[in-house]
Amino acid sequence: MRARTLAALMAVLLFAWPVAAQEQRGSIEGVVKDSSGAVLPGVTIEARTSTGVVMTTTTDTAGTYRFPSVAPGNYDLTATLQGFSVKKQESVPVGLGQIKKVDIALGLSGVTESVQVTAESPLVDVRQSARQTNIAREQIDLLPKGRDFTSLVTQAPGANSESKLGGLSIDGASAGENRYIIDGIETTNLQSGTSGKNVIIDFIEEIQVKSSGYTAEFGGATGGVVNVLMKSGTNDWRGSALFNWEGDKLQTDSRPTLRLKLSDTSQAEYISYPKDSRSRMEPGFSLGGPIMRNRAWFFGAYQPALTTIERSVSAATSGNPVGIAQSQDQKETVQFATANLTSQLSDSLRGRVAYNNSWSKTDGLLPGLTATDATTLNFAKATTRPNYSVSGHLDWVASPNLFFGVRGGHYFADTFDTNVPEEPVIRWLSTNNVGLAGVPTELQRPTGFRSVASNSKSIRDQQTRTYVQADGTVYGKLGGDHQVKFGVQADRVGNNVLTGESRNVVSLFWDTSYGAGLRGPFGYYIVRSNGAEPKTGFVTQGDIHTTNIGLFIQDAWTINNKLTLNAGVRTEREKVPAYAIGSDIPEFALDFGFADKLAPRVGFAYDINGDGRWKAFGSWGVFYDIFKLELPRGSFGGDKWYDYIYTLDTPNWSTLVDSPG
């Protein structure tokens, strides 16, 4: 009977309109008793914040009250019951995803004292077994950081920036095993798994980092889950004018760098490259306030980042006898903008919609520090990267024991290039022809030479994600207090890409043999080409979509007001698309059914002193990652190229671009 009931529940979740979003709320709950320890039903509990939000609820027959959906912030609680003194609990801090337990004891009302204020507030979420760190605005202002939010994540225990792991590593996982959420919408890069959106620090209200032990609701990560909430408006009109500047004048000179000699790669040398002239300016403003006092608020901010880099490299030197003097500028513009509307329409209905933009454009290429670029290089390439997200959520407290939430959003990112020379690239990577017999002096170039800075061109590389999550929470009593949460998540992702080398790429290997002895008088060379017209090199092409479905159910069972057991199970259906589709090629290269990705999770949390200030906790679980599109792009038909290998029979390398058929 129980199995059929569970199966029916999961079936309902499966066919509900769903995909993955993240928590944008916290909660407050507790029990009200009198001085003798007896529970008190009918007590009115008021929760008030500095933003002007005022919510009320009433304790049930067991003396229990709860606010299951509150915005992160500090709350003042007031308990009132006729015949008892009014009790106030001030400054209860609630972070993203936290459940704060605040028990209240009421004494009989006296003649001289009608209000009792409790000074200490619970500091720890003693109901959950997840290991998470919440970094609030007050801490953000004080901590050392860069300009992007990821520089703050390393303040969480177990989070580090590890170049050999690809970037941000949480508890030893690689950079591609994390998930990133901005205002409730996942913005993880679909190809690499790293952060797919820049967010400037000045706009952020709170950052949550879940590193382990998180419940069945959270999937798609074997590292950590990074959740960012932007600032919101309040009942008070608030605005700011901002200006930040950084530049090379505040930086030390570059240190000597060890490199291989450009004229003799069998030897190494130390060289001090000239320091770039760099300036970054960030003017900006923000404004927030009430739309309807105590019910609806707005916040908006805009802050562009304007960066200019000037680089000059030296001409020929003893260490670089064929160096070429170059001086070029590069300009980068990023348009950071955010806007949101938050509402508390009633005690039972709370919602929020948000928009975040981080459009950017880079104008110009910089010459290489080795001064090996040809004077004919085109440095005018421009790269534009549109990037935005929209999201929203609605929470409804249907009754004191039943709560529903719906959330969803859309994420879009693209990359396209202009002013790219559509001509072949001739280069040598690990060898050079300096001093090679039979090579005229005017044709000699050092290691690393390229005839064209880059002919790689992105026509489009659009990443899209649309998802919705619907969940419900039921509160009940059976051998203790239960909080059963269940939900469905649907995540539709897509990638429409056409990018790569606009013409052939020719790699020369001077005075070297290929394999068992293939070489000409001067070595050999490889032409990367598609062998057809127009002759392009390495190209990535495809237009794919796939929808991943996640289901979860979990229970938080508090047995004796101190010990909470968390248990749940998650399952997912994931289809990994193929980029090359034909009559004999399936649409999906890999197909994982719900039975393939069952993920049970259990944990415990124990309130040691019963005052919400110390806890012991632990957890065990099974976690599955979501395939990043780097795999299907590279192995399932997205990347296309041919290599043609030829003997190098002439020193006149400029004539070799038309060799492949």
Side-chain angles (χ1 to χ4, degrees):
M1 183 65 179
R2 291 181 179 175
R4 288 196 297 270
T5 301
L6 178 59
L9 173 60
M10 298 301 281
V12 169
L13 295 177
L14 174 61
F15 292 104
W17 174 245
V19 204
Q22 295 302 316
E23 57 195 358
Q24 294 293 288
R25 60 188 180 234
S27 63
I28 304 172
E29 61 183 45
V31 177
V32 180
K33 300 179 180 181
D34 63 17
S35 56
S36 68
V39 298
L40 291 176
V43 180
T44 299
I45 308 294
E46 179 187 88
R48 180 185 296 268
T49 74
S50 59
T51 64
V53 175
V54 179
M55 298 174 291
T56 60
T57 188
T58 304
T59 58
D60 59 19
T61 56
T64 300
Y65 76 92
R66 68 176 57 87
F67 296 98
S69 175
V70 300
N74 289 324
Y75 287 81
D76 294 337
L77 302 180
T78 303
T80 306
L81 181 63
Q82 186 176 3
F84 291 82
S85 59
V86 176
K87 187 69 169 290
K88 179 176 287 188
Q89 178 79 60
E90 295 183 335
S91 299
V92 177
V94 181
L96 279 173
Q98 291 184 341
I99 304 173
K100 284 302 177 71
K101 182 171 72 72
V102 184
D103 293 337
I104 300 174
L106 295 184
L108 293 174
S109 60
V111 177
T112 60
E113 184 180 28
S114 61
V115 178
Q116 300 177 19
V117 178
T118 302
E120 293 186 351
S121 297
L123 300 178
V124 178
D125 177 355
V126 296
R127 295 294 175 89
Q128 298 190 86
S129 51
R131 186 158 71 93
Q132 69 181 46
T133 301
N134 290 71
I135 306 173
R137 162 51 52 186
E138 295 80 4
Q139 298 166 289
I140 292 174
D141 291 338
L142 299 175
L143 290 171
K145 53 192 174 291
R147 299 304 295 146
D148 185 64
F149 78 98
T150 53
S151 64
L152 269 173
V153 177
T154 56
Q155 300 293 333
N160 298 282
S161 180
E162 299 283 355
S163 59
K164 292 186 177 180
L165 291 176
L168 183 62
S169 171
I170 298 179
D171 284 354
S174 70
E177 297 176 77
N178 306 318
R179 293 181 68 189
Y180 299 87
I181 297 94
I182 309 296
D183 268 343
I185 176 74
E186 182 174 353
T187 58
T188 309
N189 185 289
L190 300 178
Q191 180 183 355
S192 65
T194 57
S195 175
K197 172 179 279 296
N198 293 327
V199 176
I200 207 158
I201 290 290
D202 302 307
F203 296 169
I204 294 175
E205 180 65 27
E206 184 172 344
I207 298 177
Q208 176 203 64
V209 183
K210 288 180 178 288
S211 54
S212 64
Y214 33 91
T215 57
E217 179 179 0
F218 302 95
T222 51
V225 179
V226 181
N227 194 4
V228 177
L229 181 67
M230 311 302 284
K231 291 181 177 179
S232 301
T234 70
N235 266 350
D236 298 322
W237 287 95
R238 297 179 185 273
S240 63
L242 310 170
F243 184 82
N244 291 289
W245 178 84
E246 62 180 63
D248 63 284
K249 304 300 183 184
L250 303 178
Q251 300 171 345
T252 62
D253 293 334
S254 59
R255 294 183 298 177
T257 300
L258 182 65
R259 73 174 187 187
L260 295 177
K261 283 188 175 181
L262 300 178
S263 56
D264 184 359
T265 55
S266 65
Q267 300 183 44
E269 63 179 349
Y270 280 99
I271 186 169
S272 294
Y273 292 116
K275 184 171 66 172
D276 294 335
S277 175
R278 183 178 184 275
S279 174
R280 173 176 168 130
M281 294 186 296
E282 296 177 4
F285 69 90
S286 67
L287 180 65
I291 298 174
M292 181 186 302
R293 292 185 64 84
N294 300 332
R295 291 303 180 191
W297 310 266
F298 81 94
F299 177 81
Y302 171 67
Q303 188 167 351
L306 311 173
T307 304
T308 300
I309 302 175
E310 300 176 4
R311 175 176 294 177
S312 297
V313 294
S314 302
T317 63
S318 58
N320 181 12
V322 289
I324 301 169
Q326 297 277 6
S327 181
Q328 298 291 337
D329 297 346
Q330 182 182 80
K331 295 182 179 180
E332 181 182 44
T333 302
V334 186
Q335 306 286 357
F336 293 108
T338 185
N340 60 68
L341 172 64
T342 306
S343 65
Q344 184 75 48
L345 299 179
S346 67
D347 290 342
S348 61
L349 198 61
R350 187 174 74 88
R352 176 183 168 97
V353 292
Y355 168 81
N356 288 287
N357 180 79
S358 54
W359 178 97
S360 66
K361 183 177 182 180
T362 303
D363 281 304
L365 298 176
L366 294 173
L369 291 171
T370 57
T372 58
D373 298 318
T375 56
T376 57
L377 292 187
N378 183 341
F379 290 94
K381 179 179 179 180
T383 301
T384 305
R385 302 178 183 88
N387 188 302
Y388 71 87
S389 65
V390 291
S391 60
H393 73 261
L394 185 66
D395 295 337
W396 176 43
V397 182
S399 73
N401 297 318
L402 184 60
F403 168 70
F404 294 102
V406 178
R407 61 208 61 236
H410 180 74
Y411 164 73
F412 175 85
D414 191 12
T415 301
F416 60 88
D417 299 319
T418 54
N419 298 328
V420 177
E422 296 188 1
E423 58 182 279
V425 173
I426 302 176
R427 64 181 185 177
W428 31 101
L429 304 177
S430 58
T431 61
N432 64 76
N433 62 0
V434 176
L436 187 63
V439 180
T441 302
E442 63 272 16
L443 293 177
Q444 295 183 17
R445 299 290 186 274
T447 303
F449 168 77
R450 296 173 67 92
S451 62
V452 175
S454 173
N455 68 359
S456 293
K457 181 177 183 179
S458 177
I459 297 176
R460 61 183 174 275
D461 193 354
Q462 299 172 355
Q463 296 187 9
T464 58
R465 164 177 269 120
T466 302
Y467 67 73
V468 181
Q469 172 173 314
D471 58 66
T473 304
V474 178
Y475 299 90
K477 292 183 178 295
L478 182 62
D481 295 327
H482 291 266
Q483 177 182 320
V484 180
K485 186 174 184 179
F486 52 88
V488 59
Q489 303 164 331
D491 193 3
R492 182 163 180 80
V493 299
N495 184 209
N496 186 358
V497 57
L498 177 56
T499 182
E501 296 159 348
S502 61
R503 292 295 183 267
N504 294 349
V505 174
V506 183
S507 301
L508 278 70
F509 298 86
W510 295 95
D511 198 25
T512 305
S513 298
Y514 178 83
L518 176 66
R519 65 165 292 167
F522 298 96
Y524 73 95
Y525 66 101
I526 299 176
V527 178
R528 190 157 64 212
S529 172
N530 64 355
E533 295 295 341
K535 294 178 179 178
T536 60
F538 180 97
V539 174
T540 302
Q541 184 174 6
D543 186 5
I544 60 92
H545 290 86
T546 184
T547 301
N548 300 320
I549 303 293
L551 307 171
F552 69 90
I553 185 168
Q554 60 199 38
D555 181 21
W557 177 21
T558 302
I559 298 175
N560 57 7
N561 208 34
K562 284 190 175 184
L563 176 63
T564 299
L565 301 179
N566 296 293
V569 63
R570 177 182 182 85
T571 185
E572 297 168 350
R573 189 204 69 189
E574 180 188 6
K575 295 184 176 182
V576 182
Y579 276 72
I581 300 175
S583 58
D584 57 342
I585 301 175
E587 180 180 2
F588 298 103
L590 297 173
D591 190 345
F592 297 97
F594 290 110
D596 298 319
K597 302 187 76 173
L598 284 172
R601 299 175 190 179
V602 295
F604 76 92
Y606 184 73
D607 187 355
I608 296 176
N609 295 322
D611 58 3
R613 304 183 71 83
W614 293 84
K615 76 171 180 179
F617 64 101
S619 63
W620 172 90
V622 176
F623 298 83
Y624 292 98
D625 201 0
I626 296 294
F627 269 91
K628 308 305 183 289
L629 295 183
E630 181 67 24
L631 173 70
R633 278 171 64 136
S635 301
F636 300 152
D639 295 343
K640 308 173 181 68
W641 79 96
Y642 295 96
D643 282 342
Y644 298 83
I645 305 172
Y646 300 91
T647 57
L648 184 52
D649 302 322
T650 173
N652 190 7
W653 43 266
S654 62
T655 64
L656 302 178
V657 296
D658 295 324
S659 295

